[in-house]
Amino acid sequence: MDQKRSLGFAVAAVAAAAATAATCFGDALGLARSPTGAGNAAVEAPFDTSAHPVDMLQSASPWLLPAPESPRSLRGKVVIVNFWTYSCINSLRALPYLRAWSQRYADKGLAVVGVHAPEFGFEKDPANVRLALDQLDVRYPNLQDNDYAMWRAFANRGWPGIYFIDAQGKVRGYRLGEGGYAEGEQLIRTLLAEAGLDLAHVPQTAIEGAGVEAQADWADLGSPEAYLGYAKAVGFASPGGLNPGAARSYAPAASLSRNRWDLAGIWKVGGEYALLERSPGTIRFRFHARDAHLVLGGAADGRPVRFRVTIDGRAPSASHGVDVDAAGWGEVKQDRLYQLIRQPGEIVDRTLEIQFSRPGVRAYVFTFG
């Protein structure tokens, strides 16, 4: 899973107990399964992780949200390091827990540190990341890791990658992907207690995400992420296939089976994204999941791009996501993940269609939950 998104909870291969835990380590469909039992335990850090992780953080830059005094104030604290990227649904669904841990234990000696390691080009722009930090209410320190220096130093494997470091600066646990948050918090409490902190009056109340941060419906998740750029694209169904790097008129497929997608209109498909060259333009995807998201980038002129979403040819109504209304209307204003569908009822195979009103929009990857 090197430099790929994690769909669900997947732990490092060194943990034999995690053999049933899916995703990029052997699930034939590349789908997540809800973590249970022993596979939830945090595991040892990758063998090539830096022996001095806090020292590495102290010397790193640039800091988008710095530590209250300085990065050197991390020494002697229990530190949680979260590798993430702001358009990744797996990273977003971990944020409620990281925020809550920071709020509960900051005055007890815990420091949560985000390391933003971008997947797409637009995530390298510090202005975009700062806007995302504000909109996502992330207040703990965050480092921009555009060149993956910290990623390599920690030997991280994907998003989210969460490291638990004790007050002596030793990595005591590592989690790759989503899940097992109760065990993660218990490890935090153990490390703080070892450092002499009294947690008797700090309750462990339930943590729940809302909106796009709500946990996935793992039991009904039948669709993996699907990239639209030719470098990672799979499942493309338009007649004639993809024409990498050149503008071309695409037609919809006669039919779509599960996890297949197509384009209609004139698109230029690059390595990272599909760019709509002339309007109108449409993307369809046949999916099986409660939630459907699409990472989108705005037009170069900076003006919003209106779009309309339908599900099985109809307005989504009660099945609309947070970024569209009941009639299916939304607009691309920023480069980020957009939640298009959240179904309240029975989950069956459905066809999502999104049509854009004008050219210039960039479509990167579908993700589901």
Side-chain angles (χ1 to χ4, degrees):
M1 201 185 74
D2 292 346
Q3 299 186 12
K4 290 184 179 179
R5 295 167 188 263
S6 162
L7 286 177
F9 178 68
V11 296
V14 295
T20 61
T23 311
C24 297
F25 295 111
D27 185 311
L29 292 178
L31 304 178
R33 298 291 180 257
S34 180
T36 57
N40 270 352
V43 300
E44 294 179 1
F47 73 93
D48 46 350
T49 296
S50 169
H52 305 285
V54 175
D55 291 344
M56 295 297 299
L57 291 172
Q58 289 176 167
S59 62
S61 66
W63 288 86
L64 301 173
L65 290 176
E69 296 90 16
S70 74
R72 296 196 174 278
S73 66
L74 298 174
R75 188 176 294 278
K77 292 186 176 182
V78 173
V79 181
I80 305 301
V81 178
N82 171 44
F83 285 86
W84 73 301
T85 188
Y86 82 81
S87 78
C88 171
I89 186 59
N90 311 101
S91 291
L92 295 176
R93 290 194 294 241
L95 289 181
Y97 302 91
L98 293 156
R99 282 195 299 259
W101 295 343
S102 180
Q103 293 164 4
R104 286 178 186 176
Y105 303 110
D107 63 351
K108 298 295 184 180
L110 177 73
V112 177
V113 176
V115 179
H116 188 270
E119 178 172 20
F120 299 121
F122 66 82
E123 294 171 310
K124 296 179 180 180
D125 185 340
N128 286 343
V129 184
R130 287 192 177 96
L131 178 61
L133 289 168
D134 183 62
Q135 293 176 336
L136 296 168
D137 194 31
V138 174
R139 306 300 175 194
Y140 49 80
N142 257 267
L143 172 71
Q144 182 81 345
D145 193 32
N146 281 357
D147 61 1
Y148 279 65
M150 289 298 102
W151 182 291
R152 291 190 299 271
F154 277 73
N156 188 45
R157 298 291 184 259
W159 301 278
I162 303 175
Y163 291 76
F164 299 79
I165 303 171
D166 66 20
Q168 285 70 50
K170 180 181 177 182
V171 177
R172 297 280 295 277
Y174 172 56
R175 313 189 64 80
L176 180 59
E178 301 179 60
Y181 299 110
E183 291 80 6
E185 184 166 5
Q186 187 56 53
L187 179 55
I188 290 169
R189 294 174 72 95
T190 296
L191 299 181
L192 290 172
E194 288 178 1
L197 283 306
D198 181 6
L199 304 178
H201 301 293
V202 182
Q204 287 181 269
T205 54
I207 301 168
E208 292 187 7
V212 74
E213 296 178 358
Q215 293 305 291
D217 179 3
W218 302 112
D220 276 318
L221 179 57
S223 290
E225 62 188 355
Y227 290 86
L228 278 64
Y230 67 77
K232 299 180 182 179
V234 295
F236 185 62
S238 285
L242 288 173
N243 187 11
R248 186 201 131 177
S249 179
Y250 290 92
S255 64
L256 290 176
S257 56
R258 183 193 286 190
N259 300 330
R260 302 278 284 173
W261 60 281
D262 62 17
L263 298 172
I266 299 178
W267 294 82
K268 182 178 181 180
V269 180
E272 278 197 350
Y273 56 81
L275 170 69
L276 180 60
E277 290 277 351
R278 195 177 307 168
S279 58
T282 300
I283 309 173
R284 296 189 306 166
F285 197 105
R286 184 75 170 168
F287 74 102
H288 187 103
R290 183 194 67 194
D291 303 338
H293 318 95
L294 180 57
V295 176
L296 294 167
D301 62 13
R303 294 188 295 119
V305 178
R306 290 267 287 170
F307 63 80
R308 178 130 194 265
V309 171
T310 60
I311 184 168
D312 291 341
R314 298 182 294 274
S317 188
S319 294
H320 71 92
V322 298
D323 290 300
V324 303
D325 62 22
W329 289 103
E331 59 182 16
V332 181
K333 294 181 178 179
Q334 299 153 9
D335 299 350
R336 62 176 177 85
L337 177 143
Y338 290 78
Q339 187 183 80
L340 307 179
I341 299 294
R342 167 159 288 169
Q343 300 185 77
E346 181 185 8
I347 307 303
V348 297
D349 288 5
R350 300 191 184 278
T351 299
L352 177 159
E353 180 175 308
I354 179 169
Q355 184 175 70
F356 300 96
S357 63
R358 69 185 190 87
V361 72
R362 290 165 282 126
Y364 289 81
V365 60
F366 282 101
T367 57
F368 302 93

